[in-house]
Amino acid sequence: MEKPLTALIQPDGIPLDLNGYEQAGGYQALRKALTMTPEAIIGEVSRSKLRGRGGGGFPTGRKWDAVPRGADTPRQRYLVVNADEMEPGSFKDRLLLEQTPHQMIESVIISAFAIQASIAYIFVRAEYVLAINRLTRAAAQAEANGYAGANILGSGFALAIHVHASGGRYICGESSALLTALEGRRPIPRARPPRSASNGLWGKPSVVNNVETLCNVPHIITHGADWFLSLSHSTDGGTKLYGMSGRVKRPGLWELPLGTPLNEIIEDHAGGMQEGYKCRAVLPGGASSAFIMAADFNVAMDFTSVPKVGSALGTGNILALDDRRCPVGMLRSLEHFFAQESCGWCTPCRDGLPWVERILTAIEAGEGRPEDLDTLARHTIFLGSDFTFCDLAPGAMQPLASGLKHFRAEFEQHINEKCCPWHDSAGGWA
Amino acid sequence: MSTAEQSSPDAPLAAALRQEIAEVAQHAEHKRAASTDALKLVQKRFGYISDNHLAEVAAILGMTPAELDAVATFYNLIFRRPVGRHVILLCDSVACWVMGEAAARAQLRDRLGIKPGETTADGRFTLLPIVCLGHCDHAPAMMVDEDQYGDLNAARLDEILERYK
Amino acid sequence: MTNFLVDGKPCSAKPDENLLQACLAAGLDLPYFCWHPSLGSVGACRQCAVKQYANEDDKTGHMVMACMTPVTEGARYALADPQAVEFRASVIEWLMINHPHDCPVCEEGGECHLQDMTMMTGHAYRIYRFTKRTHRNQNLGPFIKHEMNRCIACYRCTRFYRDYAGGRDLDVFAAHDHVYFGRHEDGTLENEFSGNLVEICPTGVFTDKTFSARYARKWDMRGAPSVCTGCGLGCNITVNERAGEVRRIVNRYNGSVNGYFLCDRGRFGYGFVNAPERIRTPLMRGTDGKQTAVSRGDAVAHFAALLSAGGRIIGIGSPRASLESNFALRTLVGAANFYPGFSTHEGRLLSLIADILSSGAVHVPSLRDVEQADTALVLGSDLPNAAPRAALALRQAVRGAALALAAKANIPHWQDGGVRTVAGEALSPLFVATPAATRLDDIAHTALRAAPADIARLGFAVAACIDSTAPEVAGLPADVAAQASMIADALLAAERPLIASGVEAGEESIIQAAANIAFALRARGKPVALMLNVPECNSLGLALMTNGQAAFPAALAEPASLVIVLENDLYRRADNTLLDAALAATHLVVLDHSESPTTRCAGLVLPAASFAETGGTLVSSEGRAQRFYQPIFTETDVSAAWRWLGAAGSTAGNHDCAGWATEDDIVAALAHALPRFSALPSAAPPENFRNAGCKISSEPHRFSGRTAMHADRNVREPKPPVSADSPFSTTMEGYYGKIPPALIPFFWAPGWNSVQSVNKFQSEIGGALEGGDPGVRLLETRTEAALPYYAAIPKAFASRHGIWQAVMLPRVFGDDEQSARAAPIRDRTAAPALALNAEDAALIGAAAGQWLACALDGETLRLALEIHPELPRGVAGLTGLAAKAFALPSWVRLTLAGPGAS
Ligand SMILES: Cc1cc2nc3c(=O)[nH]c(=O)nc-3n(C[C@H](O)[C@H](O)[C@H](O)COP(=O)(O)O)c2cc1C
Ligand code: SF4
Ligand code: FES
């Protein structure tokens, strides 16, 4: 089984330096890409059916293709790597950033060439200190060796790469807010139109892609779209970094064919649940995805199959809800996150989420009222897409809406018995 | 200027630090874009951003204090109030919740006598909640200053605290 | 027009409108918060949600924010869709989660947009049961009170203050439901438009501190349409009165003039009306030399006797008095003996301005025109200080470039976020040339600093670059020539170029240069507008009335038997020693509303009405004659100056003064006597205007306590006063429906108790008032009219050894005589100061803050030194000395004044 994204990760956790990366075939894709036209690269990426790994699943080739080309378009364009990774339950990009920094840098250069960007930003969440240091060093090495900077490998193409450390806010991961953050302003999502492809950072054409998305690009260039499609078990191309956390025996991350069945990940890769725990449900792709119940664990983890069981692939990082933890408590924790991280711009999100959190807190504490469930249900609709300004609040409603459906009995039990049936909702040490 | 003065959040920023900030601003496409970087440079030195320093940085970046503070106060990791010598960021997001964040919090309260948002009387630690640290496969997780810790348990937590004096 | 369906009913809108605006224009009640016609849409509050359907077969539709939705031909929308209705109620419910519900003690209560919208959505029951978050409030200075707990986070305050008015000390802090709108620390809001926060905020976060001190509910105050007397721009205001006091001033929408916004001088400067130093009875100087109160009859008789005594009688008019009062004095003393109450210098400048503007050779822009300019040159004027509302209009003008870029990217002009994303900081060209820095420099393409003569030379050079027949400037340095040609090119490339200058430039040559540029552009076929700013609310009116007549100081040089001064403190306008001598040697009658050095010299002082105790007409710098109305009716001797003059005149047997019983009479006489003012009667409806046979009520229908209001003084209900001069009833009895725009006493509509109700009075949202914007323009361009180029080009400025050219640096707070008496304005007024550039300061060995002595008008002033690095060498800027402006510009000697003195 091929694992292009993680093949070069060293067992000791020390990433390959420039030499090592070159010896392992690094920067060959860049050399090849520079012999191609930007259109050819975009065409290859489109044919590879690479879809965004940041949670939205937008076809990468199509995103790149939307960047205006030609002589009468602005010369300044930007490629921005979204390495904000603050979605609770997600930890995949960190692996690539920390363990394969040169792969990231090479991906950035090729992708920037494809959209003819002359400046690239890697926007990393502040807590990823190691990643920031390693990326900064890798970028400097790349530049020192002619892979970045002016006239890259004599091609005439120039690219400046900046590693930017965030001040820390989940909303910065929303692509338009991320651009606003880079401009040094409060990172409030932007109204559309315009699209970032035409008017993004500083009003100039910009592409924002996820770390994992971009790291696939060199491999697509090297091996071609057909190879990339062949890696996948799904109609979309490539492998996927699946992760799992919660009370499983071996929490972790694995690069597997896109479309690997959920139960295979839980049982084979994560080793199944720890002794004495049963898995009731999972969030398949981070905090903004809906619960998948045990009955649906045979679902293939890809962009088209997961929606059929009412959820979304999201980041593909799975969190298990075991039978000894209270689903209401879990939702309270989730909604606490979203309420805290609302940017404060639009009313439903800013003021609705704290209300949701308080209701959940009350229910968990045995102070819930039957009508609270109606209020929660109303929020799951009115904090949905179209109703709010960006996708933060709609994401927050994914677990809640599915939780209200699947754990209705538990909600009612809390309210009727005026206490949490798990009693230990605080949770002890493992 | 004595060292004592230089490290006081009320004293003006040292020339070298001002220079460093000015350089970061120079590199940015617009000076304003350097605001988080500049604030972090100050924070690295003083632990937090005092009002005086905010005004100084704002002036270097061609912003008003209000404009810079509007950005500064938005972020979780830019501190506008004094913090202890070490900042514990304890993840309070969902994976850690599943894996026993509450126990870690309880133990920190027992050992240090502080709740999230508080600083120990001796100024050694400030405890802050933080959103998911991307360390979910090693939950519960936390950071102390720039160091990351996962798979917390009672013994390990005590051992970690010992490392920070 | 675009046709579309709302709830199945056909509607139409202008093609570039958004759905919210279109719904409001169609008279539909759709609630909103974050949108404002002047600020555009950002889609933050989510209050204006409606359903949009893809086509006839689409029965589910999807939710859109009306403010963010362009109306398209044939589109289908539903306001009444049950989900949309429920969602809008939920938005209010969320906004109310933390709202304190303190309406009974909230000053916004009764005129609160949040209250209105809450009623409109039908949200009535609170089910949220948890604790509210609370905030600490800030002290924001003498104008604005801050109560953050009422905030609903619509972001309108910061969008107005920062994006619209260019303020940089109010912002939004923190995130999620902790967002906080204020300053980064306690302190006075710096921007001179801060008062608009009171009206921009849809609830009671920012309220009027000056009003707070004498608070009444909106429905308990009389409203009078009025005109601001703070500067020459003629912004429309509503004066609110109760129990004989001005309680507050709010903006009165005029689509051509001030739109939605006033400056703080105009809004908060009314305190002089209520002040104790008001003159409320006639005062006569007795044999003991003291002024004592006398009866109205005695005063008139004494005045008439002085008039009948013969000899040389001169009248001195006033740029802050109405046309009517000035005309009355002119009639009383005869045109030849009527002198404008300008300083000599100002008189020359104003005559020049009157000549240029009344020639018909150039277009005189309204403030709306200024907003639409696509390239502007400000020559010599510090507009933010001298004519703040015009500076605000220029701030909007420079956004034209951004709007054009957005239009190219298919972003509608009202989609504010999109426009800012696409256009970034793109600005249309604005050039500013002044001696000192101005608060427009931040948006200027180029801000040039030069001495007045050099500013004029630059202006002449620009004109010569535009039209080769305009006089050339000899010996121009290469860099200035390059600047001139750059500015000329930009003006020529513009579609709607604007030139702005004014008296505060202090130099005739600057005004002439500005005119030359306008003439040159016109010669090149450009539709240029020339704005020439004048200092006071009726400066232009008086200048037009007395054009050609020398200013009063010349008249005082010869002995007179009687001098009559109308609403004017001559000591602010002429050499004080000369005045002392001249006034001591004559009988002096002064009509004014407040005590001043001039009234103190008078043998007879007559209590003239302020703008709040009478009606009248003022001519703004646009040449717009606008009527103001009387809000205060009290039983004192205070009355319009023209009434005093009429009474004395007719008693003395002057038949010309005999026929003025009402405002309409004197307006008719004026229009008849002076053809230039023939349009005056159409500035507003006549006294006998009636709607449905009724006068127009000036008090809201719910006005309470009228019969009890005076109960502490008199248990009888006084008979309501009668307004002989206007079509207003002074009570709540009367008509309140569709009212001619010049007569709207307050904006109020069913369901719309806040200022937002102005939507209901406009012919199109954000456009003209229905029935046309109030006022009549006296100055229109005539195709055949032309003036020759001015050719008196001054010599280049040369700094002189040991002396400095002192120029006046205007200041928004404190320069205007009337508003300067208001306590909150005094609070904002800094001490007078003298500014030099650093090298000049070093030359005399002075450091910032040090005291300097400077002789002016025979007096030695001690002034603290400020360093203004941008000031040209050889120029000294004086601030806070408006009362000495008559002596400037002049050459002064500066010396260090001894240490420690103050
Ligand atoms: C609230 C919010 C947070 C997000 N956070 C991230 C993030 O941390 N990393 C990321 O790659 N995408 C994040 N996204 C998705 C981005 O908006 C965007 O879709 C993505 O970066 C595009 O990259 P892709 O096409 O390569 O997936 C977030 C979206 C929302 C609404
Ligand atoms: S949904 Fe609204 S308040 Fe929430 S993060 Fe998005 S824009 Fe901000
Ligand atoms: S008015 Fe439309 S979202 Fe606020």
Side-chain angles (χ1 to χ4, degrees):
Chain A
M1 194 164 53
E2 284 189 82
K3 300 186 174 187
L5 294 176
T6 54
L8 297 184
I9 293 182
Q10 304 301 301
D12 61 359
I14 309 289
L16 291 177
D17 65 3
L18 182 71
N19 261 336
Y21 183 67
E22 281 172 332
Q23 271 159 26
Y27 289 109
Q28 289 307 319
L30 172 60
R31 289 181 194 279
K32 180 173 175 192
L34 291 173
T35 67
M36 299 166 70
T37 62
E39 286 74 17
I41 298 175
I42 297 176
E44 199 62 24
V45 170
S46 296
R47 270 191 302 284
S48 78
K49 296 206 173 170
L50 170 63
R51 286 175 67 171
R53 308 297 200 233
F58 193 83
T60 306
R62 205 153 25 109
K63 188 182 274 188
W64 292 6
D65 210 25
V67 175
R69 286 193 291 259
D72 57 343
T73 53
R75 284 216 325 284
Q76 184 63 64
R77 298 187 185 81
Y78 296 92
L79 177 80
V80 182
V81 185
N82 190 342
D84 196 46
E85 193 162 72
M86 286 178 75
E87 175 100 347
S90 302
F91 47 99
K92 66 187 182 70
D93 296 337
R94 159 181 222 152
L95 180 80
L96 297 174
L97 297 167
E98 288 180 354
Q99 302 299 330
T100 63
H102 274 292
Q103 173 173 271
M104 181 79 257
I105 300 294
E106 184 179 9
S107 308
V108 167
I109 304 166
I110 299 174
S111 308
F113 178 69
I115 62 159
Q116 289 291 293
S118 57
I119 300 186
Y121 284 97
I122 308 178
F123 186 101
V124 195
R125 66 175 297 186
E127 296 89 337
Y128 284 3
V129 180
L130 189 59
I132 292 166
N133 292 340
R134 287 180 174 176
L135 283 170
T136 309
R137 194 162 57 233
Q141 282 176 345
E143 185 172 344
N145 286 274
Y147 295 125
N151 193 15
I152 295 173
L153 299 176
S155 66
F157 174 63
L159 178 70
I161 303 175
H162 302 289
V163 178
H164 176 90
S166 169
R169 271 288 175 196
Y170 173 57
I171 194 63
C172 294
E174 199 279 338
S175 58
S176 68
L178 188 154
L179 299 178
T180 320
L182 280 176
E183 292 178 3
R185 291 187 281 137
R186 289 169 60 84
I188 306 297
R190 293 176 173 183
R192 275 170 265 252
R195 298 252 150 210
S196 319
S198 53
N199 302 92
L201 190 58
W202 306 113
K204 301 295 187 304
S206 308
V207 159
V208 181
N209 271 124
N210 172 257
V211 169
E212 185 187 351
T213 313
L214 291 182
C215 285
N216 283 298
V217 171
H219 308 291
I220 296 172
I221 297 304
T222 305
H223 303 293
D226 293 333
W227 164 86
F228 191 73
L229 278 165
S230 77
L231 296 178
S232 165
H233 290 171
S234 143
T235 49
D236 296 303
T239 59
K240 174 82 192 77
L241 275 181
Y242 293 106
M244 185 137 193
S245 60
R247 294 229 183 249
V248 287
K249 290 208 181 87
R250 289 191 306 272
L253 272 174
W254 312 277
E255 184 179 3
L256 302 170
L258 184 64
T260 302
L262 174 58
N263 47 14
E264 182 189 319
I265 300 172
I266 302 176
E267 297 304 328
D268 299 357
H269 301 285
M273 298 300 285
Q274 293 175 10
E275 291 311 320
Y277 292 89
K278 278 215 281 292
C279 187
R280 295 189 68 198
V282 299
L283 296 178
S288 303
S289 56
F291 284 105
I292 297 179
M293 303 304 286
D296 291 322
F297 282 180
N298 58 354
V299 66
M301 288 285 282
D302 63 27
F303 291 106
T304 45
S305 309
V306 186
K308 291 187 186 139
V309 298
S311 189
L313 179 61
T315 60
N317 286 191
I318 303 154
L319 172 63
L321 168 65
D322 60 71
D323 58 343
R324 287 161 63 175
R325 298 299 268 146
C326 168
V328 175
M330 178 165 172
L331 285 166
R332 199 258 310 133
S333 166
L334 284 163
E335 299 308 331
H336 167 72
F337 164 81
F338 287 112
Q340 284 294 304
E341 294 303 307
S342 164
C343 78
W345 177 247
C346 74
T347 308
C349 173
R350 179 189 62 240
D351 291 323
L353 286 172
W355 192 3
V356 165
E357 183 197 344
R358 281 179 195 150
I359 291 176
L360 292 168
T361 309
I363 294 176
E364 197 191 4
E367 289 157 11
R369 299 176 185 174
E371 60 274 20
D372 285 345
L373 298 183
D374 302 331
T375 308
L376 290 178
R378 176 155 58 95
H379 279 77
T380 63
I381 296 166
F382 286 170
L383 267 59
S385 35
D386 292 347
F387 293 89
T388 56
F389 192 82
C390 83
D391 283 335
L392 183 143
M397 291 302 103
Q398 292 297 320
L400 181 62
S402 61
L404 280 172
K405 183 166 131 211
H406 298 305
F407 305 116
R408 181 95 193 170
E410 282 86 343
F411 273 98
E412 285 169 355
Q413 201 183 348
H414 278 84
I415 293 170
N416 294 337
E417 294 174 8
K418 299 198 180 345
C419 68
C420 175
W422 277 262
H423 298 297
D424 166 40
S425 72
W429 289 114
Chain B
M1 195 188 288
S2 79
T3 18
E5 267 169 357
Q6 278 184 27
S7 61
S8 155
D10 300 323
L13 295 173
L17 187 50
R18 292 179 58 90
Q19 182 59 32
E20 205 178 336
I21 294 170
E23 268 161 31
V24 173
Q26 218 58 58
H27 275 90
E29 282 170 85
H30 295 246
K31 282 199 268 178
R32 183 181 71 197
S35 47
T36 32
D37 290 339
L39 290 168
K40 282 183 176 176
L41 283 173
V42 177
Q43 183 160 305
K44 202 167 181 139
R45 181 79 184 69
F46 297 95
Y48 81 109
I49 315 290
S50 69
D51 289 353
N52 290 344
H53 290 166
L54 181 90
E56 261 191 272
V57 174
I60 299 174
L61 299 180
M63 299 167 84
T64 62
E67 286 164 348
L68 186 58
D69 210 14
V71 177
T73 55
F74 190 89
Y75 288 114
N76 286 326
L77 291 171
I78 291 178
F79 306 142
R80 287 286 282 111
R81 273 187 244 153
V83 290
R85 287 198 300 287
H86 304 290
V87 177
I88 303 174
L89 300 172
L90 180 64
C91 174
D92 70 349
S93 290
V94 65
C96 289
W97 176 85
V98 168
M99 300 303 286
E101 169 265 339
R105 189 164 14 103
Q107 186 167 324
L108 286 170
R109 189 192 52 223
D110 288 349
R111 301 292 191 273
L112 305 175
I114 50 173
K115 298 199 292 291
E118 294 177 351
T119 301
T120 53
D122 60 0
R124 184 168 152 224
F125 285 114
T126 294
L127 174 59
L128 296 173
I130 189 76
V131 296
C132 178
L133 288 169
H135 211 40
C136 316
D137 48 347
H138 295 283
M142 70 174 190
M143 285 180 83
V144 183
D145 301 336
E146 294 197 335
D147 312 323
Q148 165 105 26
Y149 299 99
D151 299 318
L152 297 179
N153 56 42
R156 185 164 154 73
L157 187 54
D158 282 343
E159 183 255 317
I160 293 167
L161 292 182
E162 274 308 297
R163 298 185 202 174
Y164 297 89
K165 286 296 173 195
Chain C
M1 287 308 245
T2 310
N3 301 298
F4 57 99
L5 292 175
V6 176
D7 295 327
K9 286 187 277 296
C11 292
S12 62
K14 282 200 309 184
D16 61 347
E17 261 177 9
N18 65 58
L19 178 57
L20 172 57
Q21 200 168 342
C23 286
L24 294 172
L28 301 169
D29 284 344
L30 181 58
Y32 63 86
F33 287 109
C34 62
W35 174 79
H36 185 283
S38 288
L39 305 179
S41 312
V42 291
C45 73
R46 318 306 278 179
Q47 184 62 71
C48 63
V50 302
K51 272 275 172 77
Q52 178 172 37
Y53 301 92
N55 52 47
E56 218 168 320
D57 302 325
D58 179 2
K59 297 284 180 253
T60 27
H62 72 286
M63 203 65 78
V64 295
M65 297 307 126
C67 70
M68 297 293 276
T69 305
V71 288
T72 50
E73 184 63 33
R76 303 165 166 269
Y77 308 101
L79 266 55
D81 167 81
Q83 196 188 40
V85 169
E86 196 190 342
F87 178 68
R88 294 196 299 262
S90 290
V91 172
I92 292 282
E93 186 176 27
W94 288 315
L95 296 175
M96 285 295 183
I97 280 183
N98 294 305
H99 190 78
H101 292 79
D102 59 343
C103 312
V105 296
C106 174
E107 284 161 31
E108 196 80 0
E111 53 178 328
C112 174
H113 185 59
L114 178 59
Q115 283 178 335
D116 287 348
M117 299 299 101
T118 304
M119 295 298 291
M120 197 176 283
T121 62
H123 166 70
Y125 291 97
R126 181 179 185 79
I127 53 175
Y128 179 84
R129 64 176 187 277
F130 307 100
T131 3
K132 299 174 185 181
R133 61 112 180 78
T134 51
H135 287 297
R136 197 183 68 82
N137 300 320
Q138 293 180 322
N139 182 349
L140 298 178
F143 297 155
I144 303 289
K145 212 162 106 174
H146 192 220
E147 178 50 69
M148 249 310 286
N149 289 330
R150 296 178 185 142
C151 176
I152 58 164
C154 69
Y155 289 81
R156 264 163 59 157
C157 53
T158 47
R159 291 181 57 226
F160 166 76
Y161 194 90
R162 297 182 46 78
D163 300 347
Y164 194 90
R168 295 181 68 186
D169 63 325
L170 178 87
D171 223 309
V172 48
F173 305 98
H176 53 92
D177 66 338
H178 291 168
V179 283
Y180 185 94
F181 298 80
R183 296 185 82 253
H184 87 288
E185 60 188 9
D186 281 43
T188 301
L189 285 170
E190 290 161 12
N191 190 273
E192 61 269 21
F193 299 98
S194 69
N196 297 296
L197 293 173
V198 173
E199 295 183 40
I200 272 285
C201 174
T203 177
V205 177
F206 300 101
T207 53
D208 178 342
K209 223 179 226 179
T210 71
F211 178 39
S212 183
R214 49 190 73 246
Y215 181 74
R217 291 287 182 207
K218 177 179 182 177
W219 62 77
D220 276 344
M221 293 183 290
R222 174 177 299 125
S226 188
V227 176
C228 179
T229 61
C231 79
L233 292 174
C235 292
N236 290 197
I237 57 174
T238 299
V239 183
N240 281 151
E241 178 270 3
R242 184 174 170 92
E245 279 184 338
V246 173
R247 298 303 179 99
R248 67 164 174 185
I249 282 172
V250 290
N251 184 69
R252 177 166 65 103
Y253 184 88
N254 182 323
S256 305
V257 186
N258 46 300
Y260 295 88
F261 306 116
L262 296 177
C263 81
D264 289 354
R265 180 199 277 181
R267 185 184 297 270
F268 300 117
Y270 61 86
F272 68 93
V273 176
N274 303 332
E277 66 264 29
R278 277 300 298 277
I279 300 164
R280 298 195 187 275
T281 55
L283 301 170
M284 209 151 82
R285 193 179 302 283
T287 43
D288 58 355
K290 288 211 184 81
Q291 291 175 339
T292 44
V294 295
S295 76
R296 194 183 173 89
D298 289 351
V300 171
H302 180 64
F303 192 178
L306 288 174
L307 286 168
S308 307
R312 179 168 177 256
I313 302 179
I314 62 173
I316 300 176
S318 169
R320 62 169 162 86
S322 67
L323 280 182
E324 291 83 344
S325 291
N326 276 301
F327 176 70
L329 181 54
R330 180 183 183 273
T331 309
L332 182 68
V333 298
N337 297 314
F338 179 65
Y339 296 87
F342 303 134
S343 73
T344 310
H345 182 62
E346 188 186 358
R348 274 204 309 272
L349 297 170
L350 283 166
S351 299
L352 174 64
I353 287 179
D355 281 344
I356 297 168
L357 297 187
S358 61
S359 68
V362 283
H363 175 63
V364 188
S366 66
L367 287 179
R368 160 90 54 172
D369 296 335
V370 173
E371 279 178 4
Q372 256 129 41
D374 58 352
T375 298
L377 167 64
V378 179
L379 206 62
S381 277
D382 179 355
L383 291 180
N385 280 312
R389 186 64 186 80
L392 190 63
L394 271 178
R395 217 165 250 289
Q396 312 321 310
V398 295
R399 289 208 66 222
L403 295 174
L405 280 175
K408 252 206 239 151
N410 282 321
I411 312 287
H413 64 89
W414 42 259
Q415 212 260 71
D416 192 54
V419 172
R420 285 175 200 278
T421 302
V422 168
E425 281 150 21
L427 297 171
S428 311
L430 166 68
F431 305 93
V432 178
T434 47
T438 76
R439 289 192 299 281
L440 278 177
D441 296 350
D442 63 325
I443 51 164
H445 174 282
T446 315
L448 300 165
R449 298 288 97 92
D454 289 342
I455 293 172
R457 288 167 62 81
L458 171 76
F460 280 111
V462 171
C465 289
I466 292 169
D467 178 5
S468 54
T469 68
E472 294 271 353
V473 183
L476 209 59
D479 57 332
V480 181
Q483 284 157 353
S485 98
M486 167 188 71
I487 296 171
D489 290 346
L491 290 168
L492 276 171
E495 277 170 36
R496 293 173 305 277
L498 172 86
I499 314 298
S501 188
V503 283
E504 71 279 11
E507 287 282 355
E508 281 162 281
S509 58
I510 292 181
I511 295 168
Q512 290 169 341
N516 271 15
I517 301 171
F519 300 159
L521 285 166
R522 186 165 180 241
R524 294 286 301 271
K526 288 282 162 188
V528 60
L530 176 64
M531 179 177 90
L532 293 177
N533 188 52
V534 300
E536 284 163 275
C537 60
N538 206 17
S539 293
L540 188 59
L542 184 58
L544 289 172
M545 187 179 282
T546 57
N547 209 2
Q549 178 66 281
F552 76 92
L556 288 184
E558 288 165 44
S561 55
L562 172 61
V563 176
I564 307 168
V565 179
L566 172 68
E567 301 180 37
N568 207 334
D569 177 11
L570 303 184
Y571 282 86
R572 296 172 68 91
R573 305 188 193 263
D575 186 310
N576 289 195
T577 352
L578 288 183
L579 271 179
D580 284 341
L583 299 184
T586 178
H587 287 289
L588 180 63
V589 176
V590 180
L591 302 97
D592 213 341
H593 53 66
S594 309
E595 217 185 293
S596 74
T598 306
T599 66
R600 284 193 284 273
C601 295
L604 177 65
V605 182
L606 298 173
S610 72
F611 76 100
E613 291 120 354
T614 181
T617 312
L618 302 172
V619 180
S620 72
S621 55
E622 180 203 343
R624 183 181 290 267
Q626 303 186 105
R627 193 73 51 82
F628 60 95
Y629 290 93
Q630 176 175 0
I632 298 182
F633 296 87
T634 45
E635 292 166 28
T636 62
D637 292 331
V638 173
S639 75
W642 63 262
R643 285 212 150 88
W644 283 114
L645 294 166
S650 40
T651 309
N654 184 333
H655 297 299
D656 294 336
C657 304
W660 310 329
T662 67
E663 164 84 22
D664 285 346
D665 296 338
I666 189 157
V667 166
L670 167 54
H672 181 75
L674 297 169
R676 186 168 266 176
F677 295 101
S678 60
L680 217 53
S682 56
E687 182 281 324
N688 62 7
F689 174 87
R690 296 292 180 273
N691 234 336
C694 297
K695 284 197 152 202
I696 294 161
S697 53
S698 63
E699 289 173 352
H701 286 183
R702 270 167 270 154
F703 195 95
S704 55
R706 185 182 83 197
T707 56
M709 211 166 22
H710 305 280
D712 57 333
R713 280 157 279 159
N714 194 335
V715 291
R716 283 182 309 129
E717 178 188 350
K719 188 169 157 292
V722 178
S723 167
D725 297 322
S726 76
F728 285 109
S729 106
T730 62
T731 65
M732 68 268 235
E733 283 84 24
Y735 182 85
Y736 186 76
K738 241 196 175 77
I739 296 173
L743 296 179
I744 299 169
F746 31 78
F747 291 99
W748 208 326
W752 296 81
N753 299 288
S754 78
V755 288
Q756 305 288 321
S757 58
V758 70
N759 292 334
K760 301 278 180 191
F761 293 79
Q762 294 162 332
S763 57
E764 90 190 36
I765 305 293
L769 286 170
E770 220 176 310
D773 287 322
V776 60
R777 277 172 58 97
L778 303 178
L779 309 170
E780 290 299 358
T781 332
R782 293 187 311 277
T783 30
E784 74 294 351
L787 284 178
Y789 282 118
Y790 293 98
I793 300 173
K795 282 215 275 297
F797 176 78
S799 55
R800 303 196 202 159
H801 183 71
I803 57 173
W804 278 262
Q805 188 181 34
V807 299
M808 169 78 176
L809 304 182
R811 249 179 3 181
V812 61
F813 299 120
D815 276 7
D816 163 61
E817 181 191 351
Q818 302 187 91
S819 61
R821 296 173 189 271
I825 299 283
R826 273 204 309 273
D827 264 16
R828 292 291 315 270
T829 306
L834 185 143
L836 289 178
N837 90 7
E839 287 89 353
D840 282 358
L843 218 58
I844 48 172
Q850 221 160 335
W851 295 101
L852 292 184
C854 160
L856 203 63
D857 182 34
E859 206 183 318
T860 300
L861 304 170
R862 303 171 60 82
L863 299 166
L865 175 66
E866 287 175 2
I867 305 291
H868 287 201
E870 80 290 350
L871 267 182
R873 299 279 319 251
V875 173
L878 297 184
T879 65
L881 289 166
K884 294 286 180 204
F886 63 86
L888 297 174
S890 66
W891 292 89
V892 296
R893 207 165 285 285
L894 302 175
T895 49
L896 285 175
S902 69

